[in-house]
Amino acid sequence: MSNQPIGVFDSGYGGLTILKELVATLPEYDYLYLGDNARAPYGDKTFEEVYAYTLQSVEWFFKQGCSLVILACNTASAKALRTIQQNNLPSLDPNKRVLGVIRPTSEVIGQLTQSKHIGVLGTQGTIKSESYLLEIAKFFPEIKVTQEACPEWVSLVEKNLYASTEADYSVKYHIDEILSKDAKIDTLLLACTHYPILINKIKQFTPAGIRIISQGEIVAKSLISYLNNHKEMETKCSKMSKKRFFTTGDVEDFNEHASLFFGAEIVAEKLIF
Ligand code: DGL
């Protein structure tokens, strides 16, 4: 019997919005979650920092027995995934896989717009990397993509201010900004795993008729098709519906906040790097 949970990584809490959908869609698998809360946020960190932290976390997942790790963080996917896949994976273990969230999102986002004008909201790191511009152009070259960095949104969520008047101001500001750059946008992608927590505010300040897309379901569907197409990986993944949660931050803080993102109680364990 294999004991190989699917690893799910985020800089902190945000990846739990992805894990929630993975568990809802593929409940039979085992999952191991790591939030690097002690070093979050990643959004304003350099390429070298995000790469070093993400690689260290991937190595940890491999030591725990995971053969498949999902970087459920756009910033880590934008800044570290390709280098890890190309430079580290061959020597770490060529039979293991690390997947991100930008490619699966880019593969389908073009099917969701009528006007062929999309807005991407993300952290500074994700937006500056231009990963979404490059990836969406590969699949949907006819689509115009407009970006907006929303640097305050992660901290509004992390500080539990997602329903505050500060959130009102900041959400309205960035929605107005992106729509003023391109009035034909009919689809807004929340390209940061923290942003679904702000969904009520985002809906409040987004004109009717504009679709707001979170990534959880997209990533879950993409994992189903990945596992269908890679039976050698699928058979390695253990299926006892077990879930374990680790944080590099404060365990009590994590347990208190994490249920908001995951939708169920969590009892996390501490990881010290
Ligand atoms: N949730 C992460 C993402 O999807 C970013 C949060 C952070 O800045 O650490 O990009």
Side-chain angles (χ1 to χ4, degrees):
M1 278 274 270
S2 70
N3 179 21
Q4 298 200 25
I6 297 173
V8 179
F9 174 70
D10 188 71
S11 59
Y13 300 111
L16 292 166
T17 62
I18 302 281
L19 180 63
K20 183 180 168 188
E21 295 298 331
L22 298 183
V23 171
T25 316
L26 295 162
E28 67 276 28
Y29 291 91
D30 296 340
Y31 296 95
L32 178 60
Y33 184 88
L34 172 60
D36 190 10
N37 297 74
R39 298 186 290 201
Y42 279 13
D44 54 3
K45 298 235 165 18
T46 63
F47 170 90
E48 287 74 17
E49 285 169 314
V50 174
Y51 166 62
Y53 300 163
T54 307
L55 178 60
Q56 189 178 31
S57 303
V58 165
E59 287 175 334
W60 177 80
F61 279 111
F62 287 173
K63 282 195 196 118
Q64 307 309 305
C66 301
S67 281
L68 179 61
V69 177
I70 298 173
L71 304 185
C73 173
N74 287 272
T75 312
S77 297
K79 291 193 159 184
L81 179 62
R82 185 161 306 168
T83 314
I84 290 175
Q85 285 174 332
Q86 291 177 354
N87 297 358
N88 304 105
L89 209 46
S91 55
L92 283 174
D93 188 336
N95 296 318
K96 296 189 187 268
R97 289 289 172 271
V98 184
L99 307 176
V101 290
I102 295 178
R103 190 183 168 102
T105 307
S106 302
E107 276 174 5
V108 300
I109 192 76
Q111 297 157 9
L112 306 175
T113 169
Q114 300 277 314
S115 68
K116 305 211 178 301
H117 290 248
I118 290 175
V120 174
L121 302 161
T123 64
Q124 255 166 333
T126 299
I127 297 306
K128 276 198 193 147
S129 76
E130 301 199 340
S131 300
Y132 275 100
L133 298 183
L134 298 167
E135 284 297 318
I136 296 172
K138 282 186 201 157
F139 299 104
F140 304 100
E142 72 286 9
I143 284 178
K144 180 170 163 47
V145 181
T146 301
Q147 303 195 104
E148 171 77 6
C150 312
E152 318 86 47
W153 288 14
V154 167
S155 62
L156 284 171
V157 171
E158 296 268 329
K159 289 181 193 154
N160 254 336
L161 294 172
Y162 54 90
S164 65
T165 46
E166 279 160 273
D168 279 344
Y169 174 80
S170 177
V171 170
K172 183 178 182 333
Y173 175 80
H174 289 295
I175 299 287
D176 288 351
E177 276 293 299
I178 195 164
L179 296 179
S180 75
K181 291 184 220 168
D182 180 0
K184 289 193 187 148
I185 289 171
D186 70 350
T187 305
L188 279 179
L189 172 65
L190 307 187
C192 171
T193 52
H194 278 66
Y195 295 176
I197 302 300
L198 287 164
I199 191 76
N200 290 338
K201 294 282 175 215
I202 295 169
K203 281 184 180 160
Q204 184 184 339
F205 294 109
T206 300
I210 296 181
R211 242 173 134 166
I212 301 161
I213 308 295
S214 303
Q215 296 174 291
E217 276 181 46
I218 295 175
V219 175
K221 280 190 189 147
S222 152
L223 181 59
I224 293 176
S225 84
Y226 179 84
L227 293 171
N228 281 335
N229 294 330
H230 297 84
K231 287 290 169 203
E232 75 297 345
M233 181 61 78
E234 199 285 330
T235 49
K236 281 187 207 166
C237 296
S238 47
K239 300 168 197 71
M240 287 175 281
S241 302
K242 283 199 283 189
K243 292 173 271 302
R244 280 181 86 185
F245 299 87
F246 282 81
T247 176
T248 58
D250 184 88
V251 170
E252 279 171 22
D253 272 1
F254 189 87
N255 292 345
E256 197 183 316
H257 286 101
S259 57
L260 169 70
F261 292 79
F262 189 58
E265 285 299 305
I266 282 177
V267 179
E269 298 165 62
K270 173 87 177 171
L271 173 66
I272 299 170
F273 274 129

